[in-house]
Amino acid sequence: MNLIRVEHFAKRFGEKVVHSDVNLVLQKGECLGLIGGSGTGKSVLLRSLIGLEKPDSGEIYFKDQEITEMAESDLIEIRKQIAYVFQGGALFDSMTVFENLAYPLRAHTQLNEDEIDTRIQALLKEFGLQGNDALFPGALSGGMQKRVGLARAIIMEPDVILYDEPTAGLDPFNTRRIQDMILRMKAKGKSSVLVTHDMPVAMAVCDRIAILGKGQISSIETVPQIHEDSEGLIAKFIQGEVS
C-alpha cells in the first residue's frame, strides 16, 4: 500500500527552480531515505508533504487524498497522521518538557489530564528522558532536545513520521540514540521519510534511498542494491564521487 504519492511536483522561489518534476512513493511500513546535495530542496519537499509549502504544479496524495489544494482546517487532520520532526526540535522555549508534550494532546484529543500524564511518562521512559519533564528546553542538551522533539511528534500516534536531519550536529553517542529510536518506530510499523546527510544512519535505518538533484529524483534503490552496485549513482554520492 502506498501511503504517500508525489506526482510531477514542481516548485520555484522567484527565478530559482528548486523542483521541476519530482515523482516519489512512500510505501506502508518502510523508511525511505531522501538524500542529495545542499540546496537541492530536500526539506522543501518534506515540508510540502504536510502542506507547509505549496507546489507550483503537481500533486501530493496521502492515502489517496490529494492535499495540495486543501484548506488549512483540512490539513490539521492530515498533520495528525503525518508527524514532522524538525531539525532543531522546534520546542516551545516557554514551556517545560511536559507542557511541550501535552500541548498536542490537549489541543487535538479528548484525553483527560491523568491519561495525558500516563502517555507522556511512558514516552519519557521509552526515550530515556525520565525526570526531565519539569525542565525547559534551554536546560536540555542538543541531543535531548531532539529526543523531546521526536517524542512530541509521535505522541499523537501518527501513521507517518518525517525526519528532517534528525542527527545533524550530534556527537556519535547521541547519533546512535536517534538512530535506535528511528528503528524502534519502524519496528512499530511506522512509515517514515528521512532527510539526511548522515549516510551511515541512512544505510542503517532505510529500506530504500532516493537521491534528489537537478529538480528531480535521479535514482532510487533499495539498500541491498546500493551495497551491490558500487558504480550506481547513490553509491557514488555516498563515496563523495558525485554531488
Side-chain angles (χ1 to χ4, degrees):
M1 175 184 175
N2 296 332
L3 283 182
I4 293 176
R5 298 194 331 269
V6 180
E7 298 184 353
H8 305 296
F9 181 92
K11 179 70 175 178
R12 70 166 61 222
F13 293 98
E15 296 300 313
K16 179 176 175 57
V17 177
V18 180
H19 301 301
S20 57
D21 186 21
V22 173
N23 296 275
L24 195 65
V25 168
L26 176 68
Q27 300 168 355
K28 184 175 175 59
E30 80 167 334
C31 179
L32 175 65
L34 185 60
I35 64 172
S38 297
T40 53
K42 300 181 296 297
S43 294
V44 171
L45 181 58
L46 206 65
R47 292 197 301 271
S48 301
L49 299 182
I50 55 172
L52 293 177
E53 299 282 358
K54 299 290 187 182
D56 297 320
S57 61
E59 296 84 39
I60 297 174
Y61 296 87
F62 174 63
K63 296 181 178 179
D64 292 327
Q65 288 183 287
E66 212 287 316
I67 71 168
T68 61
E69 299 297 328
M70 280 187 175
E72 190 68 19
S73 57
D74 295 322
L75 285 170
I76 290 173
E77 295 304 313
I78 298 297
R79 291 167 187 163
K80 291 178 185 178
Q81 302 172 73
I82 306 177
Y84 195 113
V85 182
F86 292 89
Q87 181 175 335
L91 302 175
F92 298 115
D93 291 336
S94 61
M95 294 183 180
T96 64
V97 168
F98 185 94
E99 294 296 321
N100 265 281
L101 296 180
Y103 181 83
L105 297 177
R106 289 170 176 160
H108 301 298
T109 76
Q110 300 300 314
L111 295 177
N112 62 41
E113 287 301 310
D114 287 341
E115 291 168 330
I116 288 173
D117 182 72
T118 297
R119 186 176 294 190
I120 289 173
Q121 297 305 328
L123 269 183
L124 291 174
K125 182 178 180 180
E126 181 177 1
F127 289 176
L129 293 163
Q130 309 98 306
N132 293 289
D133 46 325
L135 296 180
F136 288 90
L140 305 176
S141 68
M144 291 173 72
Q145 288 186 29
K146 286 179 182 281
R147 279 184 281 152
V148 174
L150 176 52
R152 188 178 66 183
I154 70 164
I155 203 163
M156 292 289 292
E157 301 179 345
D159 295 319
V160 178
I161 306 172
L162 308 178
Y163 301 100
D164 193 355
E165 294 281 4
T167 61
L170 295 184
D171 58 59
F173 177 77
N174 279 299
T175 293
R176 183 57 183 266
R177 294 189 79 161
I178 296 295
Q179 174 180 305
D180 289 345
M181 288 166 61
I182 294 172
L183 288 170
R184 286 206 301 275
M185 296 303 103
K186 184 177 174 182
K188 291 181 178 182
K190 303 296 183 185
S191 307
S192 58
V193 180
L194 170 66
V195 166
T196 186
H197 287 102
D198 192 329
M199 296 315 305
V201 170
M203 295 295 281
V205 306
C206 294
D207 298 288
R208 296 185 300 147
I209 295 178
I211 184 167
L212 185 60
K214 297 181 179 179
Q216 303 179 26
I217 299 296
S218 50
S219 182
I220 183 165
E221 299 179 25
T222 66
V223 169
Q225 285 172 334
I226 297 168
H227 282 300
E228 292 168 7
D229 184 10
S230 61
E231 295 302 312
L233 183 61
I234 295 176
K236 288 185 175 181
F237 178 85
I238 293 170
Q239 295 158 15
E241 297 179 16
V242 296
S243 58

